[in-house]
Amino acid sequence: MTSATSRFEQVAPVLETLAIEVPSWAYGNSGTRFKVFGTPGTPRTVEEKIADAATVHRFTGLAPTVALHIPWDLHDDYAGLRRYAEDLGVQLGTVNSNTFQDDDYRLGALTHTDPRIRQKAIDHHFECLEVMEATGSRDLKIWLADGTNYPGQGDIRARQDRLAESLATVYDRLVSLGEERRLVLEYKFFEPAFYHTDVPDWGTSYVQVAALGERAMVCLDTGHHAPGTNIEFIVAQLLRLGRLGSFDFNSRFYADDDLIVGAADPFQLFRILVEVVRGGGLRPVPDGGVALMLDQCHNIEAKIPGQIRSVLNVQEMTARALLLDRAALAAAQEAGDVLAANATFMDAFYTDVRPQLAAWREERGLPADPMRAYLASGYQEKIEADRVGGTQAGWN
Ligand code: PSV
Ligand code: MN
């Protein structure tokens, strides 16, 4: 037995519990403002998106829940949808609200100056809470497009006050539904607003959720920071404060690119997961763990293999993060040995765990190579033949 294998066996039990939530919208068409490409086999219905998500789970054992986005996943029978998902071996996860595609929200939603529009946005969140009751979902995720394009356009301070008031109304309703439910508030530094955004950074999200109560947490989307931001520092800080609720994983080269997690910068994903492990983030969510989710778009690549690649990337980097020799690292840090500390850190990053993970999967009745197994399974050919006609799902 190689020492890499025996070290892997020590961390393997933690990998058993790794669960990554996939987004329903990753299976629909997406694109840029220049073009949305359609692809054969793209789901036309929420059920078909869930079937694709369940396929990712079947080949990887890593993706037991699928997030919904309302109204993209509007349905007339959420309890039935829940049974449909469970029959396929997955559960419905986070419910994402959407206040960025309605004309009424041109100047804001939860922050709008007009009480009628604020109430409309609050009512939309109440509707999301009703969906959650039927689906059994734990988390309500709020990302707001609210912001302004020009200096002077809005009263930045008053918008924070209105935001706090609107969020409190939503939060109070959420808490009344049962204590296992959580509200996660996602931040993003710009886009679609270009001058100021009402929840631009982790600090603002933290301030807002801390004022709500302990079931309100921050959601960290890895694509929502200025280039060069030290994201792992934010992870460490939020875990320290007990307020890192969830991740929206993806990767980026320039802005909010929503590319496959770990594709643009695998080392950054490793550094983030090192802090997740360090801060206890891999524990079950009720025990202080963080929900790991993907928020990605597969604009030009095949969607299901794109999702399989994504969850495997998270699993691989989690394994490497778990392999970090924490005792050696702590000793080097204590001794002020800069180079030894860095070498210990890099050793873990450079450890190739792919052979061990392949064997580990096989032991559990999963394909050693989920990418190859999916491509050989005939699922893609079947959905391309079956899903003819209708309207392919997208951001509508
Ligand atoms: C906003 O850019 C965001 O990251 C939010 O999570 C949205 O709900 C999601 O993208 C839609 O893809
Ligand atoms: Mn996101």
Side-chain angles (χ1 to χ4, degrees):
M1 187 186 284
T2 66
S3 72
T5 302
S6 63
R7 273 169 49 226
F8 180 84
E9 278 168 7
Q10 284 167 16
V11 306
V14 184
L15 292 176
E16 300 284 354
T17 57
L18 192 65
I20 302 146
E21 184 160 301
V22 292
S24 68
W25 54 99
Y27 304 92
N29 289 327
S30 58
T32 64
R33 58 186 154 147
F34 299 100
K35 171 72 179 165
V36 174
F37 297 100
T39 47
T42 294
R44 287 91 37 94
T45 62
V46 190
E47 282 86 349
E48 289 178 351
K49 292 186 215 176
I50 292 171
D52 289 357
T55 304
V56 171
H57 185 48
R58 201 163 62 248
F59 282 89
T60 63
L62 285 170
T65 57
V66 51
L68 301 178
H69 215 296
I70 307 295
W72 299 337
D73 296 317
L74 267 189
H75 202 276
D76 51 18
D77 177 14
Y78 288 104
L81 199 63
R82 175 185 187 166
R83 284 192 299 278
Y84 174 83
E86 287 173 357
D87 285 347
L88 291 177
V90 292
Q91 294 193 313
L92 301 177
T94 305
V95 170
N96 289 255
S97 63
N98 180 329
T99 53
F100 49 90
Q101 289 183 304
D102 186 304
D103 284 343
D104 271 347
Y105 300 136
R106 186 170 60 92
L107 299 177
L110 293 181
T111 65
H112 204 287
T113 49
D114 182 343
R116 181 190 70 81
I117 293 176
R118 284 206 303 282
Q119 190 57 49
K120 174 174 169 166
I122 290 168
D123 287 343
H124 167 64
H125 288 90
F126 288 168
E127 182 195 347
C128 289
L129 291 173
E130 280 171 26
V131 172
M132 289 166 68
E133 286 202 284
T135 55
S137 302
R138 184 193 56 221
D139 294 345
L140 170 68
K141 177 149 74 71
I142 304 180
W143 170 72
L144 298 168
D146 295 38
T148 61
N149 274 1
Y150 295 97
Q153 180 191 324
D155 181 341
I156 291 174
R157 161 72 188 267
R159 291 174 72 97
Q160 282 300 301
D161 297 338
R162 291 193 292 270
L163 174 63
E165 195 185 296
S166 300
L167 285 174
T169 310
V170 174
Y171 181 77
D172 288 349
R173 174 76 65 98
L174 174 134
V175 169
S176 76
L177 296 180
E179 63 173 36
E180 74 284 0
R181 296 229 157 68
R182 307 188 307 168
L183 181 158
V184 293
L185 181 62
E186 179 175 352
Y187 61 91
K188 176 172 174 175
F189 74 126
F190 90 110
E191 196 199 28
F194 294 119
Y195 166 56
H196 108 279
T197 295
D198 290 302
V199 189
D201 49 32
W202 74 268
T204 305
S205 180
Y206 175 76
V207 164
Q208 289 285 349
V209 299
L212 294 175
E214 58 185 26
R215 307 212 67 83
M217 315 283 275
V218 177
C219 172
L220 188 161
D221 184 313
T222 46
H224 289 186
H225 308 84
T229 300
N230 182 334
I231 296 176
E232 58 271 26
F233 176 82
I234 300 170
V235 172
Q237 181 69 291
L238 287 172
L239 279 167
R240 176 177 166 269
L241 296 166
R243 292 284 178 168
L244 183 57
S246 54
F247 280 102
D248 266 8
F249 278 132
N250 49 59
S251 73
R252 53 79 72 85
F253 287 99
Y254 300 105
D256 189 19
D257 304 350
D258 281 341
L259 298 173
I260 288 173
V261 56
D265 187 349
F267 184 41
Q268 181 189 59
L269 178 59
F270 171 78
R271 299 193 311 263
I272 288 171
L273 287 164
V274 164
E275 290 307 329
V276 170
V277 173
R278 165 72 177 82
L282 289 187
R283 289 176 300 201
V285 168
D287 303 336
V290 181
L292 308 179
M293 307 187 291
L294 304 181
D295 180 8
Q296 297 181 177
C297 297
H298 303 292
N299 298 352
I300 56 167
E301 69 276 26
K303 300 172 198 318
I304 297 170
Q307 288 283 287
I308 293 176
R309 178 77 274 152
S310 306
V311 295
L312 294 177
N313 284 354
V314 175
Q315 184 187 44
E316 226 173 281
M317 283 304 159
T318 304
R320 294 195 202 190
L322 288 165
L323 285 175
L324 176 59
D325 187 340
R326 302 252 166 200
L329 183 66
Q333 288 171 347
E334 286 291 315
D337 192 338
V338 176
L339 293 179
N342 181 241
T344 302
F345 198 86
M346 298 310 291
D347 273 350
F349 174 63
Y350 284 123
T351 306
D352 186 2
V353 291
R354 288 173 298 180
Q356 287 86 359
L357 282 171
W360 183 85
R361 279 186 206 106
E362 270 189 320
E363 283 163 23
R364 281 153 190 81
L366 292 164
D369 182 346
M371 290 293 280
R372 195 198 295 222
Y374 172 74
L375 295 177
S377 70
Y379 185 86
Q380 188 67 39
E381 290 77 3
K382 183 164 172 12
I383 58 174
E384 288 183 17
D386 290 352
R387 296 177 184 172
V388 176
T391 307
Q392 296 194 332
W395 281 26
N396 48 42

